[in-house]
Amino acid sequence: MTQLNPAFTRPAFTSRVVPVIVITHPDQAVPMAHALLEGGVDVMEITLRHAAGLPAIEQVAKHVPQMHVGAGTVTRAEEMARVQAAGASFALSPGMTDALVQAAIQCKLPFMPGVMTPGEVMAARDYGFGLVKLFPAAQAGGLAMLKALGGPLGDMRFCPTGGVSLANMGEFLKQPNVAMVGGSWLTPVDAVERGDWAEITRLAREAIAAANANPMPSTN
């Protein structure tokens, strides 16, 4: 029954690159969303690491409906309902707890929990998840870990985040069990602070070009 709950479904965005964003002022959110869309990226992971995160999600959801805005760094169960009320279309976490999973089920909000070990991947699969966030990817073993997990847990898909960059994202995306990658390099703090949205668009286009050069491998 739980497999039918939207909490276990993959979010609807198409980009294989997920910008991980810390917004310090809600007014930055809408122009950033437009800049990313212009560059071909239809998803934003706006984290709750700053107090501006929740109102920023609300701004994007209200004014840029074509952008799939997700809430990142959701670490407490009560945050699930808050991000959903703000307009987030999915949620992500650096980890996974039963309370977070139950909150996602109750909210019927697509959720990507964080995992780091084979046991955590197995626990996520037991809940009903098919897509999880490998975090922090570099510390978890990066490409070597993903390759190792592909054998015994070949039915699981990952979004490695943490240590992924333009320079190495292609190697990650070549892995059959990598659905997408997450990273903060698409929205550098200095460019955001000075409102250089053209630079954000350029970085988005660059990332999309790199992703297109490494299409998702066939699993047939």
Side-chain angles (χ1 to χ4, degrees), residues 93-166:
S93 178
M96 180 179 65
T97 66
D98 184 66
L100 275 176
V101 174
Q102 296 306 321
I105 292 171
Q106 184 173 357
C107 291
K108 298 182 179 180
L109 185 67
F111 179 46
M112 198 185 303
V115 298
M116 193 177 181
T117 67
E120 290 171 354
V121 178
M122 291 166 64
R125 185 175 64 178
D126 284 349
Y127 276 119
F129 293 104
L131 173 64
V132 292
K133 178 174 182 173
L134 183 68
F135 180 84
Q139 289 81 354
L143 285 168
M145 174 61 94
L146 288 162
K147 290 175 182 178
L149 291 171
L153 297 166
D155 56 336
M156 293 296 288
R157 296 294 174 266
F158 298 88
C159 174
T161 305
V164 181
S165 66
L166 180 67

Side-chain angles (χ1 to χ4, degrees), residues 15-190:
S15 173
R16 296 190 72 203
V17 187
V18 181
V20 181
I21 304 161
V22 179
I23 283 182
T24 57
H25 197 288
D27 288 349
Q28 300 166 336
V30 169
M32 184 189 296
H34 285 301
L36 288 167
L37 282 170
E38 188 175 342
V41 173
D42 66 346
V43 60
M44 298 171 73
E45 176 187 342
I46 298 179
T47 70
L48 302 186
R49 299 178 194 177
H50 191 281
L54 207 59
I57 290 169
E58 188 171 12
Q59 289 295 309
V60 174
K62 183 182 298 183
H63 298 292
V64 196
Q66 63 271 42
M67 173 61 76
H68 298 274
V69 60
T73 322
V74 176
T75 59
R76 296 178 175 86
E78 61 268 21
E79 292 172 341
M80 201 69 70
R82 292 178 192 164
V83 301
Q84 184 180 46
S89 59
F90 65 101
L92 310 94
S93 178
M96 180 179 65
T97 66
D98 184 66
L100 275 176
V101 174
Q102 296 306 321
I105 292 171
Q106 184 173 357
C107 291
K108 298 182 179 180
L109 185 67
F111 179 46
M112 198 185 303
V115 298
M116 193 177 181
T117 67
E120 290 171 354
V121 178
M122 291 166 64
R125 185 175 64 178
D126 284 349
Y127 276 119
F129 293 104
L131 173 64
V132 292
K133 178 174 182 173
L134 183 68
F135 180 84
Q139 289 81 354
L143 285 168
M145 174 61 94
L146 288 162
K147 290 175 182 178
L149 291 171
L153 297 166
D155 56 336
M156 293 296 288
R157 296 294 174 266
F158 298 88
C159 174
T161 305
V164 181
S165 66
L166 180 67
N168 63 18
M169 62 173 277
E171 290 303 310
F172 280 99
L173 291 175
K174 286 177 184 176
Q175 303 309 310
N177 58 352
V178 173
M180 63 203 69
V181 297
S184 59
W185 83 90
L186 285 90
T187 56
V189 173
D190 57 342

